[in-house]
Amino acid sequence: MNYIGEHLLPGQIGHFFAILSLVASLVATLAYVKAFREKSPADKQSWLKMARISFLIETVSVVTLFATLYYIISHHQFEYKYAYTHSDKGLQVQYLLACFWEGQEGSFMLWSFWHCVLGWILIWKSKDWEAGVMMVVSFAQFCLATMIIGIYFFDYKVGSSPFVLLRNEMQAPIFSRPEYLSFIKDGTGLNTLLQNYWMVIHPPVLFMGFASTIVPFAYAITGLFRKNHDWIKPALPWASFSAAVLGTGVMMGAAWAYESLSFGGYWAWDPVENASLVPWLVLVAGLHTNLIYRNTGYSLRPTYFFYIMSFSLVLYSTFLTRSGILGDTSVHAFTDLGMNVQLLLFLLIFLVPSLVLYIVRYRSIPSITKEENTYSREFWMFIGSLVLFLAGIVISAKTSTPVINKLFGTKIAPPEDPEFAYNQIQIFVAIVIGILTAITQYLKYKDTTKAYFGKKIWIPTLLSVAISLSISLFGNVNYHSKGAGFLFAIHMAIFAAVYSVVANASYIWLVMNGKIRAAGASVAHVGFGLVLVGILISSSKKTVLSWNTTGVTPLRAEPGARNNPAGNPAENITLFKAVPTDMGRYMVTYEKDTLNEADRKRYFVIDFKAKKGGDDFKLYPDVIKQNKGGEGFSANPAAKHYWYKDIFVYITSFQENNHEDTTTFRNHEIQAGDTMFYGNGLMILNKVSVNPADKHDKYGKDETALFLDMTVVAKDGRRYAANPGIALKGMEIRNITDTVASQSLVLKFNKVIDQKTGKLEIGVKESSSITDLITLKVYEFPMINILWLGVVIMAIGFILSIIQRLRLNDRGPLRVS
């Protein structure tokens, strides 16, 4: 059958270059193996030339694959399953790239692309190590190429091609018709959670981090094969680069979560978040043992092990996120494409031979035996590396619960409070690492005199004690929900984090005389300490501002949400359109909402007016209709940024009737027992109550509250209770409005006119749009910008370290004695 309107050439080009990529990477791998094994310089150069040509073909193939898939997506060629599944005609141009990494095939191509970029830098710079290192990189390229070929060997499918036609993958009656494309008006679109600018830049950076972990791994494997341990020197800048990029990518993901997900934060110990964090922790551990060996000759064995495990953990995280095994526990995980066996083989084919080779070569790896000196830098650096590794193991073990259940048939349930399950352990890791990053810089390698150490460390120690005590005593860090023990640990961690910042900043000025270019490690440690400070303060002092004081039961969450964004109903406040509502320090008004046709998001205008200080602002949270089979809407938060805090708001539910509200409050004088009429019935004031116990959640302990007990009787005989009130504190009066939504009534207790007669004034608003309402949640994150500042400074520190290490590499041999 000849199908009308199909564009088959892009798919054919894609299939051809996918196969070419597979073949070229295999040839490059074999050529590099021959070059690695060859003794004759002339023959070695011949094999290297062939390997480089093959790698060039591989690079051209990957770039062409990337360009071809982008062409298919950007031209909305929905005859291809990938374009139909991951894009639509209304998608904004800036999100077209995000369509790549929504699907597994595109993200594998991105990973392979970064291997190509890194490979050419290695060919240029790795000199005698090129053959061994590129042998490993090319083999990884071959494995990645198998992931996107999508061909069958006998009855087993290898990979999943992004260039398959929709009619070959789906069963539907329209595919029996030659003009089936005329019935496909649009694609299913990009997942609503990914329609954020962070998802255009976060995945490329994260995958560059993932890809770069192969470089120290490849150097280590080459060193084991050759029994040559000089690889430590060229691998060190690469390890710093990988740690910088991967760490930045992880925190970019945290920024995306903060701006796009409605769990109210930047980190939730989601399994996929953990799977990206653990390789970074182990890589940083390896980076520090690498430094130990470069300067002292100790810790070579753990350096091998940490570099092997960091890349292996990247492959394990790939298995976790792409096998579908985390589908019920993570909002990030990919769906299962039936490639579980292939993904598992991808992990095992690197992990098992690497560990076997490490064990076989273990005794031949140089190791200096001596009595440990606790006043040496290398001792505490090793302890810190071990703590980071153990922290990663604990996180990985908890994350792997679904895998354990599947392998062993167990039914280990996830913890009721997953965040605390991780935090109660990692808080002590933060304490140890914070203190170690503070004091270790002041110790010299091999040995340090106590007098020297004490002279240098006492000033930053006293400053840190003073600053951390000020935060603890006057910062109102009172996180009591997990008990006094955990609160004490938080205060200890605050001291450790402050100590890390102050001690390393002091080291730059007191010891290095302000030479920042040579102080990359200290700058990175300052950034790391600031990250810890930001996490501890913003998390422990995160405050809910949207406590439900209106008495209106919040709307339930939109159906189809993976996690209920409303959470605790008491933390959600309901706003009626154009009705100012008391929210603690602010009077908040839901002014209007508009639908942006460009990004298909409904933006809500929320006006915040401070009761004191004139801190007035508007926020624009939005919702977008879910796709991919989901029902309801996904919420995107909005935040007001200050230097010392963020006000963070997101919509948990909304209801509209599309009528413009032009009504105002009408004031009435009334006494207990009086009756007054409204459009659909009458209202009776039964009595006035002072500080009623059943309304204690609506007024403060230092306020005097008056509530009206009213009965609203509709024409059809239905009765409703209404309780508008006022709260008095000194000369301040706060209105507590009440609503009868089904009768479109808003009632407001204005004032007491005459205390002797009991005459009162109430405002009544009969609004045709009273059913236009939203329920939202508002948080305050204090000092969260310290976290983001710390990430930037830590990245700068890594960059300075890379430059410093490259300069040292150009000067001469390792300083090992």
Side-chain angles (χ1 to χ4, degrees):
M1 182 183 296
N2 293 320
Y3 293 96
I4 300 172
E6 286 187 337
H7 304 83
L8 300 181
L9 181 60
Q12 292 166 350
I13 292 173
H15 281 296
F16 172 77
F17 279 99
I19 299 297
L20 184 60
S21 169
L22 179 76
V23 174
S25 58
L26 179 59
V27 172
T29 302
L30 296 175
Y32 272 121
V33 169
K34 291 291 291 182
F36 179 73
R37 296 167 60 92
E38 193 61 59
K39 301 298 183 183
S40 167
D43 291 341
K44 182 173 184 176
Q45 285 300 317
S46 177
W47 283 112
L48 282 175
K49 183 178 180 180
M50 181 179 179
R52 291 167 184 166
I53 292 172
S54 300
F55 194 76
L56 176 61
I57 296 172
E58 158 71 3
T59 302
V60 172
S61 299
V62 171
V63 172
T64 305
L65 285 169
F66 211 95
T68 303
L69 187 57
Y70 182 80
Y71 178 86
I72 289 172
I73 292 172
S74 62
H75 285 74
H76 310 300
Q77 294 181 350
F78 297 133
E79 58 265 44
Y80 293 98
K81 182 184 177 183
Y82 206 85
Y84 175 78
T85 306
H86 301 296
S87 69
D88 62 74
K89 293 178 180 177
L91 192 65
Q92 293 175 283
V93 174
Q94 61 265 35
Y95 297 142
L96 288 175
L97 279 176
C99 297
F100 270 87
W101 21 96
E102 184 188 36
Q104 294 201 40
E105 302 91 335
S107 59
F108 278 125
M109 287 168 54
L110 178 62
W111 191 347
S112 186
F113 170 80
W114 285 126
H115 273 176
C116 291
V117 173
L118 297 173
W120 283 109
I121 299 173
L122 288 166
I123 290 171
W124 174 37
K125 284 290 188 180
S126 57
K127 300 178 182 177
D128 292 341
W129 294 95
E130 178 190 342
V133 171
M134 287 302 298
M135 169 181 67
V136 177
V137 174
S138 296
F139 183 63
Q141 283 289 81
F142 171 74
C143 294
L144 289 172
T146 66
M147 298 292 177
I148 60 171
I149 56 173
I151 60 176
Y152 283 88
F153 282 98
F154 302 102
D155 291 329
Y156 182 74
K157 184 180 179 183
V158 178
S160 176
S161 172
F163 303 106
V164 293
L165 293 169
L166 185 64
R167 57 180 166 86
N168 291 334
E169 298 295 313
M170 293 179 63
Q171 300 293 325
I174 63 168
F175 296 124
S176 62
R177 306 179 63 166
E179 73 281 10
Y180 79 90
L181 273 176
S182 63
F183 298 100
I184 302 176
K185 303 300 182 183
D186 210 348
T188 59
L190 181 66
N191 190 304
T192 54
L193 291 176
L194 305 184
Q195 294 182 36
N196 179 280
Y197 67 95
W198 278 115
M199 288 311 295
V200 179
I201 58 177
H202 154 59
V205 175
L206 184 65
F207 273 90
M208 184 195 291
F210 284 156
S212 62
T213 59
I214 198 174
V215 181
F217 170 83
Y219 271 108
I221 294 301
T222 306
L224 289 174
F225 271 122
R226 292 172 55 174
K227 298 183 182 179
N228 182 340
H229 313 296
D230 290 342
W231 63 270
I232 284 287
K233 179 180 175 181
L236 188 53
W238 279 106
S240 297
F241 171 80
S242 186
V245 176
L246 183 54
T248 302
V250 170
M251 293 312 297
M252 279 184 170
W256 164 68
Y258 184 65
E259 294 195 12
S260 292
L261 300 182
S262 56
F263 61 74
Y266 45 83
W267 197 266
W269 294 109
D270 180 275
V272 176
E273 293 173 339
N274 299 345
S276 62
L277 175 65
V278 171
W280 182 81
L281 292 174
V282 177
L283 179 65
V284 172
L287 174 61
H288 284 81
T289 56
N290 193 335
L291 285 167
I292 293 172
Y293 178 73
R294 192 187 190 285
N295 288 278
T296 68
Y298 302 115
S299 297
L300 180 57
R301 288 173 176 173
T303 304
Y304 271 109
F305 178 73
F306 289 146
Y307 283 161
I308 290 171
M309 290 309 300
S310 62
F311 178 66
S312 299
L313 285 165
V314 166
L315 300 182
Y316 180 59
S317 71
T318 300
F319 170 73
L320 285 180
T321 57
R322 296 168 189 276
S323 64
I325 202 166
L326 298 180
D328 295 329
T329 57
S330 174
V331 299
H332 303 71
F334 290 94
T335 55
D336 182 7
L337 289 182
M339 295 168 55
N340 292 8
V341 173
Q342 193 174 347
L343 290 168
L344 187 59
L345 286 174
F346 189 22
L347 165 64
L348 296 178
I349 204 168
F350 280 93
L351 175 62
V352 174
S354 300
L355 289 179
V356 169
L357 181 61
Y358 175 69
I359 293 169
V360 169
R361 294 279 197 264
Y362 185 82
R363 291 186 178 276
S364 66
I365 300 173
S367 178
I368 301 173
T369 303
K370 66 151 194 165
E371 185 178 347
E372 297 293 349
N373 183 354
T374 57
Y375 274 84
S376 66
R377 181 181 292 189
E378 64 270 19
F379 175 80
W380 293 109
M381 284 177 68
F382 178 76
I383 295 298
S385 298
L386 191 59
V387 170
L388 287 173
F389 175 70
L390 293 176
I393 293 300
V394 170
I395 295 170
S396 188
K398 287 180 176 290
T399 306
S400 300
T401 299
V403 179
I404 295 170
N405 286 341
K406 198 159 190 175
L407 285 176
F408 301 104
T410 56
K411 296 182 179 180
I412 303 173
E416 293 184 7
D417 187 348
E419 288 191 36
F420 182 64
Y422 287 98
N423 289 338
Q424 64 183 336
I425 297 174
Q426 299 308 319
I427 188 75
F428 296 103
V429 173
I431 293 170
V432 173
I433 296 299
I435 293 174
L436 289 180
T437 54
I439 66 172
T440 304
Q441 291 285 84
Y442 290 87
L443 295 167
K444 297 179 180 180
Y445 285 108
K446 305 257 180 106
D447 191 24
T448 311
T449 64
K450 294 181 181 179
Y452 173 87
F453 178 71
K455 180 181 177 181
K456 296 295 184 181
I457 201 68
W458 75 270
I459 293 177
T461 302
L462 286 180
L463 283 174
S464 301
V465 170
I467 294 171
S468 60
L469 277 177
S470 298
I471 295 173
S472 295
L473 294 175
F474 307 111
N476 195 31
V477 181
N478 298 313
Y479 188 80
H480 294 292
S481 63
K482 300 302 178 183
F486 190 66
L487 178 60
F488 176 75
I490 288 174
H491 287 288
M492 285 296 299
I494 288 173
F495 163 73
V498 170
Y499 198 15
S500 177
V501 174
V502 173
N504 280 279
S506 300
Y507 183 84
I508 296 171
W509 299 108
L510 295 177
V511 180
M512 305 199 70
N513 300 316
K515 297 177 181 177
I516 294 180
R517 289 185 178 181
S522 293
V523 172
H525 290 161
V526 168
F528 178 74
L530 288 172
V531 168
L532 288 182
V533 171
I535 289 172
L536 290 164
I537 295 180
S538 65
S539 298
S540 61
K541 283 177 60 61
K542 182 175 78 170
T543 305
V544 177
L545 301 183
S546 54
W547 289 109
N548 182 13
T549 59
T550 64
V552 180
T553 302
L555 293 169
R556 65 185 178 89
E558 289 292 340
R562 182 187 293 271
N563 297 307
N564 183 352
N568 182 359
E571 296 179 356
N572 295 259
I573 193 167
T574 297
L575 306 180
F576 292 90
K577 195 170 187 178
V579 178
T581 303
D582 186 273
M583 197 185 74
R585 299 196 302 269
Y586 299 95
M587 292 299 296
V588 185
T589 306
Y590 159 35
E591 291 187 344
K592 61 179 180 179
D593 58 86
T594 56
L595 182 64
N596 187 330
E597 297 293 341
D599 58 13
R600 297 170 291 187
K601 294 180 180 179
R602 181 177 296 278
Y603 289 87
F604 295 84
V605 181
I606 313 298
D607 181 65
F608 288 74
K609 291 191 182 299
K611 296 176 183 177
K612 295 181 180 179
D615 180 20
D616 302 341
F617 57 90
K618 296 181 189 295
L619 287 177
Y620 307 91
D622 67 83
V623 297
I624 183 171
K625 185 170 176 53
Q626 288 191 20
N627 55 10
K628 307 294 185 184
E631 298 180 0
F633 292 81
S634 293
N636 288 297
K640 171 67 175 176
H641 302 288
Y642 299 83
W643 71 266
Y644 61 97
K645 68 177 181 181
D646 276 4
I647 304 293
F648 176 97
V649 57
Y650 64 89
I651 306 296
T652 54
S653 57
F654 68 96
Q655 177 178 301
E656 60 178 343
N657 68 4
N658 297 320
H659 293 296
E660 183 179 358
D661 183 17
T662 58
T663 59
T664 58
F665 281 98
R666 291 184 298 151
N667 297 328
H668 301 264
E669 294 182 2
I670 191 171
Q671 294 174 265
D674 287 353
T675 299
M676 61 183 184
F677 295 91
Y678 71 101
N680 195 43
L682 57 87
M683 292 176 281
I684 305 167
L685 175 58
N686 302 314
K687 63 179 180 178
V688 181
S689 300
V690 180
N691 290 346
D694 62 336
K695 304 294 182 186
H696 71 278
D697 58 328
K698 296 184 181 180
Y699 58 89
K701 295 180 180 178
D702 55 351
E703 290 181 313
T704 300
L706 302 178
F707 281 88
L708 307 184
D709 182 344
M710 302 183 68
T711 302
V712 177
V713 184
K715 289 179 179 178
D716 59 7
R718 287 179 293 173
R719 291 174 173 262
Y720 307 90
N723 303 103
I726 55 175
L728 302 98
K729 180 181 178 182
M731 299 301 292
E732 295 182 12
I733 299 178
R734 179 170 62 88
N735 290 103
I736 305 171
T737 58
D738 199 4
T739 58
V740 183
S742 65
Q743 297 297 299
S744 298
L745 284 176
V746 182
L747 303 176
K748 184 171 65 171
F749 184 179
N750 290 333
K751 60 184 177 181
V752 177
I753 298 175
D754 190 330
Q755 291 185 7
K756 293 182 178 180
T757 62
K759 186 176 290 186
L760 314 170
E761 181 182 283
I762 66 172
V764 180
K765 180 176 181 179
E766 298 183 60
S767 173
S768 60
S769 64
I770 192 62
T771 51
D772 276 16
L773 56 89
I774 61 173
T775 302
L776 51 80
K777 184 174 285 190
V778 184
Y779 289 113
E780 181 178 278
F781 285 95
M783 299 300 174
I784 192 171
N785 288 323
I786 294 177
L787 165 62
W788 309 124
L789 176 64
V791 173
V792 173
I793 292 176
M794 186 164 61
I796 292 172
F798 274 118
I799 292 170
L800 292 174
S801 294
I802 294 167
I803 295 171
Q804 183 184 10
R805 296 301 165 193
L806 289 173
R807 287 175 178 169
L808 289 174
N809 284 354
D810 293 336
R811 290 182 185 176
L814 295 173
R815 201 185 88 200
V816 176
S817 59

